[in-house]
Amino acid sequence: MRRQLGKHRTHVFSYRGRSVSRVNNHAWTKALARAGIENFRWHDLRHTWASWHVQGGTPLHVLQELGGRESVEMVKRYAQLSGEHLAQYVTSMTGGLRRVVTNRLRSETKKG
């Protein structure tokens, strides 16, 4: 895809200077066959794009706008791909548990 940069001013996929508007045609099928790709749909590229954004830390509301989705519900299916938004809570909980266990061990050691 990086090799496509600059070939068209607004679209990633172009052919002879024109944007690609039909995607499930004979040329698409031939290109997949030449690349050795099976069971792949044009729409899979949209899923990959969204997945990479989420894994890269793009907030869901931003991804909603970038992808032209009407609701954040459509975007939430990608949320499970990144646990970054949960990491801070796991870390804080783990630290709290360590303190509790350490304090209990110290008090049991002093008693025993």
Side-chain angles (χ1 to χ4, degrees), residues 83-95:
E84 293 301 315
H85 63 289
L86 303 173
Q88 65 182 347
Y89 303 106
V90 172
T91 303
S92 67
M93 182 63 169
T94 304

Side-chain angles (χ1 to χ4, degrees), residues 10-97:
T10 59
H11 287 76
V12 174
F13 299 101
S14 62
Y15 180 71
R16 295 185 180 174
R18 303 176 100 178
S19 64
V20 174
S21 60
R22 293 182 47 218
V23 292
N24 285 321
N25 58 18
H26 186 66
W28 173 252
T29 305
K30 282 176 55 176
L32 290 174
R34 280 195 313 269
I37 299 172
E38 298 176 3
N39 193 26
F40 190 80
R41 301 164 301 153
W42 180 264
H43 193 71
D44 294 333
L45 294 172
R46 185 176 175 112
H47 287 287
T48 301
W49 172 82
S51 300
W52 287 351
H53 264 285
V54 169
Q55 291 170 359
T58 302
L60 295 181
H61 69 279
V62 173
L63 186 57
Q64 176 188 352
E65 286 188 55
L66 289 172
R69 302 284 190 181
E70 288 188 28
S71 73
V72 77
E73 296 303 318
M74 293 294 292
V75 181
K76 282 186 178 179
R77 69 180 64 170
Y78 302 106
Q80 76 273 6
L81 299 173
S82 172
E84 293 301 315
H85 63 289
L86 303 173
Q88 65 182 347
Y89 303 106
V90 172
T91 303
S92 67
M93 182 63 169
T94 304
L97 287 174

